[in-house]
Amino acid sequence: MGRRFLVALGSAVLALSLAACSGEGAGSGGDKSGDKPADLTIGVSMPTQTSERWIADGNAVKQKLEAKGYKVELQYAGDDIPTQSQQVDQMITQGADVLVIAAIDGTALNSQLQAAADAKIPVISYDRLIRGSKNVDFYVSFDNYKVGVAQATSLLVGLGLQNKDGSKGTAKGPFNIELFAGSLDDNNTQYFFGGAMDTLKPFVDAGTLRVKSGQTKIEQVAILRWQQETAQKRMEDLLTSSYNDGTKVDGVLSPYDGISRGIITALQNAGYGSASKKIPVVTGQDAEIASIKLINDGVQNSTVFKDTRLLAEQAVNAAEAFLQKKQPQANDTKTYNNGVKVVPAYLLPIATVYKDDIKATLIDSGYWTAEEVAAGQAKK
Ligand code: GAL
């Protein structure tokens, strides 16, 4: 079956299901405070299913809204910008009452957001800030700058330059490191990289950390769509171009677990991970189960855990507030300027996870089970 046909089929099904559940409130927006939850539909647009975190996010938002009696239309866009635009368009024309959107490209949905505003549909930007539009009503995310600080800090700790309590470590260096950043069209990328580089700068300036390739600008180190394969290829290229003289990589700043796994594969293929050629310190983000296993096995150094259950809860709170004609509660009204306005935000805390933290942070909280960690795979 052709992909185009599948997209068309998906659209028809979406149109039908939204039409069926939106009742006479279709596209009307406005005061929903008198409507019963069963008469209200929340459109949830997620970027991709290739990363398990977005599947967890989508499921958590859907389940929590449905538990309150709302209808939910959840769509994944396969990391394809036109698909996401089309899915959001349809949610609007078929009468969604609130939209929750995690954008693929933070600047690509402006006309959809205008249509949402015209229909008085509030828009909640989910985890990734939508840029360049005044029609973003609320933002739920984590403290993204602190994610970058945490990633760089875990690199310093892994190298022995710093201790977990923040005190100076015993290692002297100098160490060879390489840097990776996320997708440039994702607003979070600048925050992650900014937080990380502010933290690493004193060590780079002092010569304790050396970026041997010389590639330190975000444009040089960014990985489009956060793809594992692209990251693997870049690491392979770095090893060939900058480490073919017998020198070794000691650490790699990675902004996301999928990228980390690409980096680790490239390193292992080049012989790293043996007694004589230690695997470098590699950071991460999202506590993806495959990476948690790698951390548990001593291959990946660390990840940054962002509890998607709490993020989903905030998205649900914000959606409900809008439906009741209230303003959602923000805890940050300064940081997230999207180029047109400062979007009120609710930011959640983050946690660094090293091997020693897996049990307390991830297993005891029910995020992953011990069996899943051992298997490196989520149980369905
Ligand atoms: C970012 C998100 C990260 C990671 C990345 C790749 O926007 O904040 O947690 O998931 O996308 O999916």
Side-chain angles (χ1 to χ4, degrees):
M1 219 180 306
R3 180 179 148 75
R4 260 217 225 124
F5 175 74
L6 279 176
V7 169
L9 183 67
S11 305
V13 171
L14 172 64
L16 277 177
S17 63
L18 274 174
C21 61
S22 62
E24 45 81 49
S28 58
D31 186 356
K32 299 289 175 184
S33 49
D35 287 352
K36 289 194 293 297
D39 297 329
L40 299 168
T41 303
I42 292 96
V44 181
S45 171
M46 290 282 149
T48 177
Q49 281 172 305
T50 54
S51 149
E52 76 212 1
R53 80 147 281 190
W54 297 114
I55 300 174
D57 283 279
N59 289 341
V61 174
K62 187 169 154 60
Q63 277 158 17
K64 285 178 202 293
L65 284 168
E66 284 177 347
K68 288 174 178 279
Y70 296 104
K71 309 249 190 222
V72 178
E73 187 56 46
L74 169 63
Q75 293 283 315
Y76 287 90
D79 256 340
D80 182 53
I81 296 167
T83 301
Q84 186 163 44
S85 306
Q86 189 195 28
Q87 288 173 342
V88 174
D89 264 335
Q90 274 168 358
M91 289 176 185
I92 295 167
T93 54
Q94 301 302 323
D97 297 292
V98 173
L99 290 171
V100 176
I101 304 174
I104 298 164
D105 178 324
T107 59
L109 291 170
N110 284 357
S111 72
Q112 282 71 30
L113 294 206
Q114 189 55 52
D118 294 344
K120 296 201 173 52
I121 303 169
V123 173
I124 300 163
S125 204
Y126 188 93
D127 198 43
R128 300 172 169 177
L129 185 64
I130 299 177
R131 295 189 53 79
S133 169
K134 63 179 188 309
N135 304 311
V136 186
D137 299 291
F138 201 70
Y139 180 43
V140 290
S141 190
F142 295 84
D143 191 322
N144 292 305
Y145 181 85
K146 276 198 193 143
V147 170
V149 172
Q151 288 166 339
T153 304
S154 64
L155 180 62
L156 297 174
V157 170
L159 290 169
L161 290 168
Q162 198 169 297
N163 299 316
K164 284 187 188 170
D165 64 7
S167 60
K168 201 169 176 303
T170 49
K172 297 270 172 294
F175 294 111
N176 294 323
I177 62 164
E178 293 299 333
L179 310 169
F180 282 69
S183 197
L184 282 177
D185 51 11
D186 181 338
N187 190 60
N188 288 346
T189 293
Q190 303 282 347
Y191 285 87
F192 300 153
F193 196 66
M197 292 312 280
D198 288 351
T199 309
L200 296 180
K201 190 168 184 300
F203 295 86
V204 173
D205 288 350
T208 312
L209 294 178
R210 290 192 303 216
V211 182
K212 190 143 185 282
S213 68
Q215 298 183 18
T216 56
K217 293 200 185 70
I218 193 164
E219 296 76 17
Q220 295 175 303
V221 307
I223 299 295
L224 184 66
R225 300 281 120 76
W226 305 86
Q227 279 191 7
Q228 180 167 339
E229 302 72 29
T230 314
Q232 182 180 334
K233 173 79 174 56
R234 175 163 183 262
M235 191 70 232
E236 285 164 1
D237 291 348
L238 287 170
L239 290 172
T240 313
S241 62
S242 307
Y243 297 89
N244 59 358
D245 57 358
T247 50
K248 287 184 195 148
V249 192
D250 301 304
V252 184
L253 175 79
S254 167
Y256 156 63
D257 286 344
I259 289 179
S260 314
R261 293 196 297 276
I263 293 166
I264 287 169
T265 303
L267 289 165
Q268 288 174 331
N269 289 347
Y272 284 89
S274 62
S276 60
K277 212 173 174 191
K278 258 179 41 189
I279 193 91
V281 177
V282 180
T283 66
Q285 176 174 208
D286 282 353
E288 292 203 332
I289 192 63
S291 288
I292 296 304
K293 178 172 166 47
L294 289 175
I295 294 170
N296 205 33
D297 293 346
V299 179
Q300 186 172 319
N301 174 68
S302 53
T303 189
V304 175
F305 174 50
K306 306 197 299 191
D307 194 332
T308 49
R309 297 167 299 189
L310 301 181
L311 186 61
E313 201 169 292
Q314 286 309 320
V316 169
N317 291 347
E320 226 175 8
F322 281 126
L323 290 170
Q324 296 170 353
K325 271 260 165 177
K326 295 181 200 144
Q327 278 307 308
Q329 194 202 337
N331 65 3
D332 182 305
T333 50
K334 290 201 188 89
T335 312
Y336 286 95
N337 189 324
N338 78 345
V340 175
K341 71 176 203 184
V342 177
V343 183
Y346 195 98
L347 303 181
L348 289 155
I350 54 145
T352 302
V353 174
Y354 301 95
K355 182 176 172 151
D356 290 352
D357 306 302
I358 292 175
K359 185 170 180 311
T361 309
L362 300 175
I363 298 175
D364 292 352
S365 78
Y367 199 77
W368 296 123
T369 63
E371 293 73 37
E372 287 172 321
V373 172
Q377 240 183 350
K379 232 188 180 156
K380 289 287 169 260

